[in-house]
Amino acid sequence: MTHIPLQAPPLAELRRRSSTKWRTYSDEVLPLFVAELDFPLAPAITDVLARAVALGDTGYTPPDPGIRAAFSAYARRRWEWDVAPARVRSTTDVMTGVVELLRATIAPGDRVVITPPVYPPFADCITEAGGTVERVALADTGDGWMLDLAGIEAAFAGGARAMLLCNPHNPTGTVHSGDTLAALAGLAAEYGAVVISDEIHAPLTQPGIRFTPYLASSPAAARTGYAVTSASKTYNLAGLKCAVMVTAAEETAAVVDALPAEVEWRTGLFGALSNVAAFAPESDAWLGSLLAALDENRRLLADLLEEHVPGARYRMPDAGFLAWVDLSALGWGDNPAVKILREAKVALHYGPAFGAEGVGHVRINFGCSPDVLREAIERIGALVRT
């Protein structure tokens, strides 16, 4: 099926928004830092939220707002993943789910593996849950990245009790292969570790690239793992507060069921309503159009960097709307986003925030109009020429 790419509203309209992306910097700055999309919401989401407001339907979230069945059907439709609705529980957001699962599966001081460069809150969540961060960097293959399974095995053998997996990976956009995930699950089973997989970017996997849910990668993964995900990244719903925790075995389901009732009670009603609408078949065409827009932009970014920022090193992501770009060759210091913000008035995410592996890097949000992306890279290019 051919999809027409979505069109982002004009900048003047976007600047009327009150979210982090549009309220952190002054209007002279182009904000390509935080992971918010500029595109209009899926019509089914707009409709359900407008109806709720019109009805004054702004109370507490019911015990089952429909998200269990909706996510189960979505997983089967998109990834051929059979998820029992009873094994789906909701919570406020993905990082809340991660923290609560860590609290339930590790002891204070236990080491938890992360794979930098990786989403900065991972380290904070481990500390919040009482754990200790153990870093095993992604392996650079020369044309992409993959998990360093030997390094992860050494960490497990040395006593690490858990791992936070980012699948697809933020910031590189890497979609880990099913074989790699199955190998990771085998290590977790061998050493008695658990894997908590953040799969929030999964619906943003580009056509032709296969996303494998961790829990579906092998029987060992089903026994050792938990998945935490949400419609919030793909459908731009972060402010509405809803995520799901998914299990695939009786033992892990029992852990989730034993979490304090408040973990699920904190789910936002608008978040639940909008997640159900996002996961419905009615939103599939919108998602196809979004993916087409993002595919155009990830390719446009490659062309723009080649033309305006020679020396930039960029590999197109397999998933998501975030680009991991190495600007080390430009000599703009460990954190080039500082210079870019100050002199080009373009806000990018600081590379070193993702770990030592991010020195000299920036993360660029290309979930915007081609015109905004073009202007941003041209502004950065002007710094190269001066």
Side-chain angles (χ1 to χ4, degrees):
M1 180 183 298
T2 301
H3 293 279
I4 299 173
L6 291 178
Q7 299 293 317
L11 264 177
E13 181 177 337
L14 289 167
R15 293 194 187 282
R16 295 170 56 197
R17 294 183 179 182
S18 57
S19 62
T20 290
K21 184 172 185 180
W22 300 101
R23 287 294 179 268
T24 300
Y25 299 103
S26 64
D27 285 357
E28 64 181 345
V29 173
L30 291 178
L32 278 67
F33 66 114
V34 71
E36 296 181 20
L37 287 168
D38 290 356
F39 303 104
L41 295 178
I45 296 172
T46 301
D47 289 347
V48 75
L49 294 175
R51 184 165 58 249
V53 170
L55 290 171
D57 187 11
T58 55
Y60 292 114
T61 306
D64 183 6
I67 194 167
R68 298 176 189 179
F71 179 78
S72 177
Y74 187 81
R76 186 176 301 109
R77 197 167 68 248
R78 296 208 68 81
W79 306 306
E80 300 178 346
W81 179 25
D82 288 326
V83 176
R87 298 275 173 82
V88 179
R89 303 297 291 272
S90 69
T91 189
T92 311
D93 52 41
V94 166
M95 289 299 101
T96 295
V98 166
V99 169
E100 296 300 336
L101 288 170
L102 281 173
R103 284 179 174 146
T105 55
I106 67 171
D110 278 353
R111 285 179 285 127
V112 180
V113 175
I114 61 173
T115 54
V118 74
Y119 185 50
F122 270 27
D124 297 335
C125 287
I126 293 169
T127 302
E128 182 180 347
T132 301
V133 176
E134 177 148 349
R135 293 171 172 83
V136 180
L138 287 181
D140 189 332
T141 66
D143 58 0
W145 294 269
M146 65 180 298
L147 297 177
D148 177 1
L149 292 173
I152 294 168
E153 180 174 18
F156 286 163
R161 297 272 53 86
M163 174 177 168
L164 293 189
L165 172 68
C166 204
N167 179 42
H169 196 87
N170 174 6
T172 65
T174 304
V175 176
H176 302 299
S177 72
D179 288 344
T180 296
L181 296 175
L184 171 62
L187 295 175
E190 179 180 353
Y191 292 99
V194 301
V195 176
I196 300 172
S197 184
D198 172 357
E199 300 184 354
I200 197 170
H201 293 270
L204 292 164
T205 302
Q206 282 292 334
I209 298 169
R210 182 174 180 81
F211 168 75
T212 302
Y214 175 74
L215 296 180
S217 65
S218 73
R223 295 193 306 272
T224 62
Y226 303 83
V228 192
T229 190
S230 173
S232 65
K233 197 66 62 183
T234 300
Y235 301 88
N236 208 40
L237 307 173
L240 300 185
K241 295 303 177 185
C242 178
V244 293
M245 301 172 289
V246 186
T247 54
E250 289 185 11
E251 297 81 3
T252 51
V255 171
V256 174
D257 290 343
L259 293 174
E262 283 293 326
V263 174
E264 189 161 24
W265 182 247
R266 295 179 187 128
T267 304
L269 177 59
F270 277 20
L273 293 173
S274 59
N275 269 245
V276 170
F279 292 142
E282 290 78 7
S283 293
D284 287 353
W286 180 94
L287 177 54
S289 295
L290 172 66
L291 290 172
L294 297 180
D295 184 36
E296 286 194 3
N297 277 1
R298 66 178 182 152
R299 297 176 189 279
L300 173 62
L301 179 58
D303 293 339
L304 291 170
L305 289 171
E306 182 178 5
E307 178 181 358
H308 297 285
V309 193
R313 187 168 179 243
Y314 161 63
R315 298 161 176 162
M316 281 195 298
D318 298 329
F321 52 91
L322 306 170
W324 188 236
V325 182
D326 184 355
L327 300 180
S328 302
L330 302 181
W332 290 353
D334 290 350
N335 192 4
V338 172
K339 175 183 174 71
I340 291 168
L341 176 60
R342 182 179 62 246
E343 299 181 21
K345 304 303 180 188
V346 177
L348 307 177
H349 207 313
Y350 293 172
F354 295 81
E357 295 75 13
V359 167
H361 290 67
V362 295
R363 194 190 73 176
I364 302 175
N365 176 349
F366 58 83
C368 56
S369 73
D371 288 344
V372 167
L373 184 61
R374 187 175 292 107
E375 180 178 348
I377 303 306
E378 288 176 353
R379 289 188 188 186
I380 297 170
L383 303 183
V384 178
R385 297 189 296 273
T386 57

